[in-house]
Amino acid sequence: AVVSTQSGHYGRADINNLTDDDRNAIDEVLSRNKSNFNGHTILWMIAATLVFNYTDFANVVVNDARVKTDLLKVGSGLIAVNLSVGAYLVVYMSYIRGKKDWSAHAHPALIPVATLFGCVGMVVSTIALWPVWGFLTLPILFTLFMGIVMLASLMPF
């Protein structure tokens, strides 16, 4: 943490030497910022909804012959693995078993593997949908992804 010293200069603070007033001030700031409802969360969800409706995303994915369905199935499967690992860590490990330190109670390679699966899944899904939207595939998928991430951030757990 960077703090102001008596001479008015800023320097590094030792977190172990905080006073009770400092700790109370930190707790107050942290308790004020509990709500996940904010402007950018709502805007991302509105943008994702508009993109989903404007592009007719569901109909295109299911019915358009230009979609490379085999690649889309592989990409969707990889993303499903990523989401399953996330659900396991967040819901099962944190809220059902009460373990906050995942690295001590889960396999250490779980998060990097899930990240790899998610990234590869997004690349493969982008390739599968590229014939339909071309260069617009990237902003479309990114907007939908951000809308889902922001929706997930509003979940109560």
Side-chain angles (χ1 to χ4, degrees):
V2 177
V3 295
S4 175
T5 61
Q6 290 177 352
S7 62
H9 298 285
Y10 288 91
R12 304 286 302 164
D14 184 6
I15 195 130
N16 296 321
N17 294 330
L18 294 176
T19 65
D20 287 337
D21 290 338
D22 292 337
R23 292 182 193 281
N24 290 338
I26 291 170
D27 289 341
E28 181 183 334
V29 169
L30 292 176
S31 66
R32 269 190 288 166
N33 298 327
K34 290 291 183 188
S35 175
N36 290 332
F37 280 102
N38 50 44
H40 78 279
T41 300
I42 304 303
L43 287 176
W44 274 116
M45 291 191 312
I46 290 171
T49 303
L50 291 173
V51 165
F52 187 82
N53 289 327
Y54 179 73
T55 60
D56 199 19
F57 190 83
N59 186 38
V60 168
V61 166
V62 172
N63 296 321
D64 198 315
R66 295 173 291 176
V67 173
K68 299 177 181 178
T69 54
D70 292 338
L71 284 177
L72 189 59
K73 289 176 186 175
V74 170
S76 299
L78 292 170
I79 293 170
V81 169
N82 174 275
L83 294 174
S84 298
V85 170
Y88 168 74
L89 291 174
V90 172
V91 177
Y92 180 73
M93 290 295 282
S94 292
Y95 292 98
I96 295 174
R97 292 195 52 202
K99 310 290 186 191
K100 298 297 179 191
D101 184 16
W102 300 332
S103 60
H105 300 286
H107 195 281
L110 209 52
I111 293 174
V113 169
T115 303
L116 177 68
F117 274 51
C119 292
V120 172
M122 285 302 291
V123 169
V124 171
S125 297
T126 301
I127 293 168
L129 295 171
W130 193 270
V132 179
W133 291 296
F135 284 107
L136 289 177
T137 306
L138 292 172
I140 288 170
L141 290 180
F142 181 74
T143 304
L144 293 174
F145 170 75
M146 288 302 294
I148 290 171
V149 167
M150 294 301 151
L151 179 64
S153 76
L154 297 176
M155 298 296 170
F157 46 80

